[in-house]
Amino acid sequence: MEIKEELFKPILITKGRNTGNPHSVMLLAVNFNGKIYFSRHMPDGDWFKNAIANPQVKIKYKDRIFSGHAKLITDEEFSEKISELKYPGEKRAKEKRVTIEVTFDSA
């Protein structure tokens, strides 16, 4: 993987769960143990629902596009760890969040 930053803002590209069209959104992401994590307070965002329905996603960062597979993290303690990495020292790091893990496809 060529993304070195632990905390960065890529564009997540998902496939629309209803339309099948590409859906792009810039999000704050955590790079941890060779995987990329996106989280949000509630599971009601389009990008979140799209990634669950169609797990083949792309991440655009610094003019590169990486293909990967998204999956829901069900381990609450691990989601808390990702929140702490995403919001170091902030109160919202302790809020319950839903987290998606993206594993890049082999090159």
Side-chain angles (χ1 to χ4, degrees):
M1 179 172 58
E2 296 185 28
I3 298 174
K4 305 282 189 227
E5 296 86 352
E6 292 178 6
L7 199 57
F8 65 108
K9 278 191 154 182
I11 295 173
L12 175 66
I13 304 166
T14 58
K15 182 177 178 182
R17 63 196 179 283
N18 296 320
T19 66
N21 294 330
H23 178 79
S24 300
V25 61
M26 183 178 282
L27 299 166
L28 186 59
V30 174
N31 181 357
F32 182 69
N33 286 343
K35 297 180 182 179
I36 306 300
Y37 296 90
F38 298 96
S39 67
R40 62 178 286 115
H41 189 64
M42 300 292 290
D44 58 354
D46 283 332
W47 70 263
F48 186 88
K49 291 177 183 178
N50 289 344
I52 297 297
N54 299 304
Q56 283 306 121
V57 299
K58 294 181 181 180
I59 294 174
K60 183 176 180 182
Y61 185 62
K62 292 188 175 179
D63 297 323
R64 298 271 326 263
I65 296 179
F66 303 88
S67 295
H69 184 85
K71 76 171 188 174
L72 178 65
I73 296 298
T74 56
D75 181 336
E76 288 186 26
E77 286 184 30
F78 190 77
S79 283
E80 287 176 17
K81 170 71 174 170
I82 297 303
S83 288
E84 289 170 7
L85 293 170
K86 185 175 180 180
Y87 304 113
E90 294 183 38
K91 183 179 177 181
R92 62 182 166 170
K94 300 296 181 193
E95 294 174 349
K96 186 173 180 177
R97 302 181 72 81
V98 291
T99 305
I100 288 184
E101 173 186 274
V102 175
T103 304
F104 288 138
D105 297 337
S106 299

